[in-house]
Amino acid sequence: MKKTIETERLILRELLLSDADGMFELDANPNVHLFLGNKPVTTIEESIAQIKNIQQQYKDFGTGRWAVILKETNEFLGWSGIKFITAEINNYQNFYEIGYRFIEKNWGKGYATEAGLAFIDYAFNTMNVEVLYAYADEGNQNSRKILEKLGFHYVNSFEYENEQEVWYEVRNPNNL
């Protein structure tokens, strides 16, 4: 049985190959990639490969980005979730990071915050993660506002892949 999390409006579940059309709609949009290095995908095959890569992360680390589905319509809105990052970023390595990305027409509706709160709860109370990190492009004010709404605290600014980024963290209140 695949894991799912339900919130008031959303179903959060592991990504499936059947999400490829939604992932392509999401990642082919240059506006979505404005703060992500401006590298939108150009083929559905790239989206399928990305889903397979994320599915491998589920196997390797027991976590990864999940699909965000609107309960009312069963529509794919984008993704959110906890990823285990093995690469070194901002002098951190082997850490849990929260992220989100939504199809543009779904921006500004509170979905990132709603899903994010559910994933923070899941990370702290189910996975027993001690600290969650997040980073965003310094200029992405909307993403930064979401992180602050989720209770993340600004730590520092750093350069990553030739972009200025901001680093945030939130600690598990159960372990304080």
Side-chain angles (χ1 to χ4, degrees):
M1 169 74 198
K2 294 277 185 213
K3 293 179 279 199
T4 61
I5 298 171
E6 283 197 37
T7 67
E8 188 183 335
R9 300 178 294 169
L10 307 173
I11 295 168
L12 312 172
R13 61 151 171 81
E14 292 186 352
L15 281 159
L16 306 170
L17 287 176
S18 56
D19 295 319
D21 287 340
M23 287 288 277
F24 182 72
E25 181 184 353
L26 172 68
D27 281 320
N29 181 340
N31 292 335
V32 170
H33 281 263
L34 191 60
F35 294 110
L36 300 170
N38 291 310
K39 295 180 282 238
V41 300
T42 54
T43 67
I44 190 89
E45 286 74 24
E46 289 174 273
S47 297
I48 291 167
Q50 186 182 13
I51 291 170
K52 287 180 178 173
N53 181 353
I54 292 167
Q55 289 175 333
Q56 188 59 49
Q57 291 170 17
Y58 302 152
K59 291 184 185 108
D60 294 345
F61 306 112
T63 189
R65 309 303 194 202
W66 285 14
V68 178
I69 307 297
L70 188 61
K71 268 187 197 174
E72 210 178 299
T73 61
N74 213 28
E75 178 188 358
F76 178 91
L77 302 178
W79 57 253
S80 182
I82 309 299
K83 180 178 179 179
F84 187 74
I85 301 207
T86 55
E88 186 176 309
I89 301 174
N90 193 28
N91 301 314
Y92 292 80
Q93 194 169 9
N94 297 323
F95 60 91
Y96 289 99
E97 180 248 11
I98 194 167
Y100 38 81
R101 191 176 301 170
F102 288 86
I103 293 169
E104 187 173 12
K105 68 179 183 232
N106 300 316
W107 293 357
K109 297 181 178 175
Y111 298 139
T113 303
E114 188 172 330
L117 288 169
F119 278 114
I120 290 169
D121 178 70
Y122 180 77
F124 290 161
N125 296 311
T126 303
M127 296 171 64
N128 200 27
V129 170
E130 202 165 300
V131 60
L132 265 181
Y133 298 99
Y135 62 97
D137 186 286
E138 197 168 59
N140 191 341
Q141 291 304 323
N142 290 332
S143 192
R144 295 178 70 174
K145 277 186 198 131
I146 292 163
L147 290 173
E148 287 161 17
K149 270 190 215 164
L150 293 174
F152 279 80
H153 304 286
Y154 170 83
V155 176
N156 69 324
S157 296
F158 66 104
E159 194 173 298
Y160 182 64
E161 296 180 347
N162 301 316
E163 310 255 338
Q164 270 308 116
E165 303 284 333
V166 284
W167 188 264
Y168 288 84
E169 71 175 28
V170 64
R171 298 199 166 271
N172 188 333
N174 303 326
N175 299 347
L176 294 180

CSV table of all heavy atoms in Angstrom, one decimal, residues 28-55:
chain,number,residue,atom,x,y,z
A,28,ALA,N,7.7,22.4,-18.0
A,28,ALA,CA,7.9,23.0,-19.3
A,28,ALA,C,7.7,24.5,-19.3
A,28,ALA,O,8.0,25.2,-20.2
A,28,ALA,CB,7.0,22.3,-20.3
A,29,ASN,N,7.1,25.0,-18.2
A,29,ASN,CA,6.7,26.4,-18.1
A,29,ASN,C,7.9,27.3,-17.7
A,29,ASN,O,8.4,27.1,-16.6
A,29,ASN,CB,5.6,26.6,-17.1
A,29,ASN,CG,5.1,28.0,-16.9
A,29,ASN,OD1,5.8,29.0,-17.3
A,29,ASN,ND2,3.9,28.2,-16.4
A,30,PRO,N,8.4,28.2,-18.5
A,30,PRO,CA,9.6,29.0,-18.2
A,30,PRO,C,9.3,29.8,-16.9
A,30,PRO,O,10.3,30.1,-16.2
A,30,PRO,CB,9.8,29.9,-19.4
A,30,PRO,CG,8.9,29.4,-20.5
A,30,PRO,CD,7.9,28.5,-19.9
A,31,ASN,N,8.1,30.2,-16.6
A,31,ASN,CA,7.8,31.0,-15.4
A,31,ASN,C,8.1,30.2,-14.2
A,31,ASN,O,8.5,30.7,-13.1
A,31,ASN,CB,6.4,31.5,-15.4
A,31,ASN,CG,6.1,32.6,-16.5
A,31,ASN,OD1,7.1,33.2,-16.9
A,31,ASN,ND2,4.9,32.7,-16.9
A,32,VAL,N,7.8,28.9,-14.2
A,32,VAL,CA,8.0,28.0,-13.1
A,32,VAL,C,9.6,27.9,-12.8
A,32,VAL,O,10.0,27.8,-11.7
A,32,VAL,CB,7.4,26.6,-13.3
A,32,VAL,CG1,7.9,25.6,-12.3
A,32,VAL,CG2,5.9,26.7,-13.4
A,33,HIS,N,10.3,28.0,-13.9
A,33,HIS,CA,11.8,27.8,-13.8
A,33,HIS,C,12.5,29.2,-13.7
A,33,HIS,O,13.8,29.2,-13.7
A,33,HIS,CB,12.3,27.0,-15.0
A,33,HIS,CG,12.1,25.6,-14.8
A,33,HIS,ND1,13.0,24.7,-14.3
A,33,HIS,CD2,10.9,24.8,-14.9
A,33,HIS,CE1,12.5,23.5,-14.2
A,33,HIS,NE2,11.2,23.6,-14.5
A,34,LEU,N,11.8,30.3,-13.5
A,34,LEU,CA,12.4,31.6,-13.4
A,34,LEU,C,13.5,31.6,-12.3
A,34,LEU,O,14.6,32.2,-12.5
A,34,LEU,CB,11.4,32.6,-13.1
A,34,LEU,CG,11.8,34.1,-13.2
A,34,LEU,CD1,12.3,34.4,-14.6
A,34,LEU,CD2,10.6,35.0,-12.9
A,35,PHE,N,13.2,31.0,-11.1
A,35,PHE,CA,14.1,31.0,-10.0
A,35,PHE,C,14.8,29.6,-9.9
A,35,PHE,O,15.3,29.3,-8.8
A,35,PHE,CB,13.4,31.4,-8.7
A,35,PHE,CG,12.9,32.8,-8.8
A,35,PHE,CD1,11.5,33.1,-8.8
A,35,PHE,CD2,13.8,33.9,-8.7
A,35,PHE,CE1,11.1,34.4,-8.8
A,35,PHE,CE2,13.3,35.2,-8.7
A,35,PHE,CZ,12.0,35.4,-8.8
A,36,LEU,N,14.8,28.8,-10.9
A,36,LEU,CA,15.3,27.4,-10.8
A,36,LEU,C,16.4,27.2,-11.9
A,36,LEU,O,16.5,26.2,-12.5
A,36,LEU,CB,14.2,26.4,-11.0
A,36,LEU,CG,13.1,26.4,-10.0
A,36,LEU,CD1,11.9,25.5,-10.4
A,36,LEU,CD2,13.6,26.0,-8.6
A,37,GLY,N,17.1,28.3,-12.3
A,37,GLY,CA,18.1,28.2,-13.3
A,37,GLY,C,17.7,28.3,-14.7
A,37,GLY,O,18.4,28.1,-15.6
A,38,ASN,N,16.4,28.6,-14.9
A,38,ASN,CA,15.8,28.8,-16.2
A,38,ASN,C,16.1,27.6,-17.2
A,38,ASN,O,16.6,27.8,-18.3
A,38,ASN,CB,16.4,30.1,-16.8
A,38,ASN,CG,15.8,31.3,-16.1
A,38,ASN,OD1,14.6,31.4,-15.9
A,38,ASN,ND2,16.7,32.2,-15.7
A,39,LYS,N,15.8,26.4,-16.7
A,39,LYS,CA,16.0,25.2,-17.6
A,39,LYS,C,14.8,24.4,-17.7
A,39,LYS,O,14.8,23.3,-17.2
A,39,LYS,CB,17.2,24.4,-17.0
A,39,LYS,CG,18.6,25.1,-17.0
A,39,LYS,CD,19.7,24.2,-16.4
A,39,LYS,CE,19.6,24.2,-14.9
A,39,LYS,NZ,20.8,24.7,-14.2
A,40,PRO,N,13.7,24.9,-18.2
A,40,PRO,CA,12.5,24.1,-18.4
A,40,PRO,C,12.7,22.9,-19.2
A,40,PRO,O,13.6,22.9,-20.1
A,40,PRO,CB,11.5,25.1,-19.0
A,40,PRO,CG,12.2,26.2,-19.5
A,40,PRO,CD,13.6,26.2,-18.9
A,41,VAL,N,11.9,21.8,-19.0
A,41,VAL,CA,12.1,20.6,-19.8
A,41,VAL,C,11.4,20.9,-21.1
A,41,VAL,O,10.6,21.8,-21.3
A,41,VAL,CB,11.4,19.4,-19.1
A,41,VAL,CG1,12.1,19.1,-17.8
A,41,VAL,CG2,9.9,19.6,-18.9
A,42,THR,N,11.8,20.1,-22.1
A,42,THR,CA,11.3,20.3,-23.5
A,42,THR,C,10.6,19.0,-24.0
A,42,THR,O,9.9,19.1,-25.0
A,42,THR,CB,12.4,20.7,-24.5
A,42,THR,OG1,13.4,19.7,-24.4
A,42,THR,CG2,13.0,22.1,-24.1
A,43,THR,N,10.7,17.9,-23.3
A,43,THR,CA,10.0,16.7,-23.8
A,43,THR,C,9.4,15.9,-22.6
A,43,THR,O,9.9,16.1,-21.4
A,43,THR,CB,11.0,15.7,-24.4
A,43,THR,OG1,11.9,15.2,-23.4
A,43,THR,CG2,11.8,16.3,-25.6
A,44,ILE,N,8.3,15.2,-22.9
A,44,ILE,CA,7.7,14.4,-21.8
A,44,ILE,C,8.6,13.3,-21.3
A,44,ILE,O,8.5,13.0,-20.1
A,44,ILE,CB,6.3,13.8,-22.4
A,44,ILE,CG1,5.5,13.2,-21.3
A,44,ILE,CG2,6.6,12.7,-23.5
A,44,ILE,CD1,4.6,14.1,-20.6
A,45,GLU,N,9.6,12.9,-22.1
A,45,GLU,CA,10.5,11.9,-21.7
A,45,GLU,C,11.4,12.4,-20.5
A,45,GLU,O,11.7,11.6,-19.6
A,45,GLU,CB,11.5,11.5,-22.8
A,45,GLU,CG,10.8,10.6,-23.8
A,45,GLU,CD,9.8,11.3,-24.8
A,45,GLU,OE1,10.0,12.5,-25.0
A,45,GLU,OE2,8.9,10.6,-25.3
A,46,GLU,N,11.7,13.7,-20.5
A,46,GLU,CA,12.4,14.3,-19.4
A,46,GLU,C,11.6,14.2,-18.1
A,46,GLU,O,12.1,13.9,-17.0
A,46,GLU,CB,12.8,15.7,-19.7
A,46,GLU,CG,13.8,15.9,-20.7
A,46,GLU,CD,14.0,17.4,-21.1
A,46,GLU,OE1,13.3,17.9,-21.9
A,46,GLU,OE2,14.9,18.0,-20.4
A,47,SER,N,10.3,14.4,-18.2
A,47,SER,CA,9.4,14.3,-17.0
A,47,SER,C,9.3,12.9,-16.5
A,47,SER,O,9.3,12.7,-15.3
A,47,SER,CB,8.0,14.9,-17.4
A,47,SER,OG,8.1,16.3,-17.7
A,48,ILE,N,9.2,12.0,-17.5
A,48,ILE,CA,9.1,10.5,-17.1
A,48,ILE,C,10.4,10.1,-16.4
A,48,ILE,O,10.4,9.5,-15.3
A,48,ILE,CB,8.9,9.7,-18.3
A,48,ILE,CG1,7.4,9.9,-18.8
A,48,ILE,CG2,9.1,8.2,-18.0
A,48,ILE,CD1,7.2,9.3,-20.2
A,49,ALA,N,11.6,10.6,-16.9
A,49,ALA,CA,12.9,10.3,-16.3
A,49,ALA,C,12.9,10.9,-14.9
A,49,ALA,O,13.5,10.3,-13.9
A,49,ALA,CB,14.0,10.8,-17.1
A,50,GLN,N,12.4,12.1,-14.7
A,50,GLN,CA,12.4,12.7,-13.4
A,50,GLN,C,11.6,11.9,-12.4
A,50,GLN,O,12.0,11.7,-11.2
A,50,GLN,CB,11.9,14.2,-13.5
A,50,GLN,CG,12.0,14.9,-12.2
A,50,GLN,CD,11.5,16.3,-12.2
A,50,GLN,OE1,10.8,16.7,-13.1
A,50,GLN,NE2,11.8,17.1,-11.2
A,51,ILE,N,10.4,11.5,-12.8
A,51,ILE,CA,9.5,10.6,-11.9
A,51,ILE,C,10.2,9.4,-11.5
A,51,ILE,O,10.3,9.0,-10.4
A,51,ILE,CB,8.2,10.4,-12.6
A,51,ILE,CG1,7.3,11.6,-12.7
A,51,ILE,CG2,7.4,9.3,-11.8
A,51,ILE,CD1,6.1,11.5,-13.6
A,52,LYS,N,10.9,8.7,-12.5
A,52,LYS,CA,11.6,7.5,-12.2
A,52,LYS,C,12.8,7.7,-11.2
A,52,LYS,O,13.0,6.9,-10.3
A,52,LYS,CB,12.2,6.8,-13.5
A,52,LYS,CG,11.1,6.2,-14.3
A,52,LYS,CD,11.6,5.6,-15.6
A,52,LYS,CE,10.5,4.9,-16.4
A,52,LYS,NZ,11.0,4.4,-17.7
A,53,ASN,N,13.4,8.9,-11.4
A,53,ASN,CA,14.5,9.3,-10.5
A,53,ASN,C,13.9,9.5,-9.0
A,53,ASN,O,14.5,9.0,-8.0
A,53,ASN,CB,15.1,10.6,-11.0
A,53,ASN,CG,16.3,11.1,-10.1
A,53,ASN,OD1,16.6,10.6,-9.1
A,53,ASN,ND2,16.9,12.1,-10.6
A,54,ILE,N,12.8,10.1,-8.9
A,54,ILE,CA,12.2,10.3,-7.6
A,54,ILE,C,11.7,9.0,-7.0
A,54,ILE,O,11.9,8.8,-5.8
A,54,ILE,CB,11.0,11.3,-7.8
A,54,ILE,CG1,11.6,12.7,-8.1
A,54,ILE,CG2,10.2,11.4,-6.5
A,54,ILE,CD1,10.5,13.8,-8.5
A,55,GLN,N,11.2,8.1,-7.9
A,55,GLN,CA,10.7,6.8,-7.4
A,55,GLN,C,11.9,6.0,-6.8
A,55,GLN,O,11.8,5.3,-5.9
A,55,GLN,CB,10.0,6.0,-8.5
A,55,GLN,CG,8.7,6.6,-8.8
A,55,GLN,CD,8.0,5.9,-10.0
A,55,GLN,OE1,8.6,5.4,-10.9
A,55,GLN,NE2,6.7,6.0,-10.0
